[in-house]
Amino acid sequence: MATKILVIDDDQNICDLFRMYLEKEGYEVRVANDGVEGMTVFRKYEPDLVLLDIMLPKKDGWQICREIREQSSK
C-alpha cells in the first residue's frame, strides 16, 4: 500500500510539482487549494503525511494544523 500524502497549497504550480515528483516515487497524492477544501480532503482521505502552506485562503495553515492535531490525537 502506497503512503498517502495530502498537499494543501494555493499555488497550483507548487501542487503540480509536488504531485509529479511524489507520484513518480510511488506515493499516492491528493491536492487541496484552500484551507476549507484541505480539511475536507483530510477527513475523507486520512493521509499519512500533510504538506501544508501557512498562507492559505479561507482558513490559514495554522488553523488547519490545530484542527488536524485535534483529530489525529483521538
Side-chain angles (χ1 to χ4, degrees):
M1 179 181 210
T3 299
K4 299 187 297 185
I5 298 175
L6 171 59
V7 178
I8 306 174
D9 197 310
D10 58 333
D11 185 325
Q12 191 60 48
N13 291 327
I14 290 174
C15 292
D16 291 343
L17 282 172
F18 271 126
R19 181 190 300 267
M20 181 179 67
Y21 285 114
L22 291 169
E23 286 180 347
K24 182 178 177 185
E25 295 299 321
Y27 297 102
E28 186 180 320
V29 180
R30 296 285 186 279
V31 171
N33 297 118
D34 66 59
V36 173
E37 179 187 9
M39 283 309 300
T40 300
V41 175
F42 176 81
R43 288 183 192 106
K44 290 180 183 176
Y45 185 55
E46 297 181 354
D48 299 304
L49 176 71
V50 177
L51 300 176
L52 176 62
D53 186 19
I54 296 301
M55 307 261 311
L56 292 167
K58 299 184 182 177
K59 262 188 197 182
D60 69 33
W62 294 113
Q63 187 175 354
I64 301 263
C65 186
R66 283 189 291 273
E67 289 180 30
I68 287 172
R69 292 187 75 176
E70 284 176 12
Q71 290 184 16
S72 296
S73 64
K74 293 181 181 177

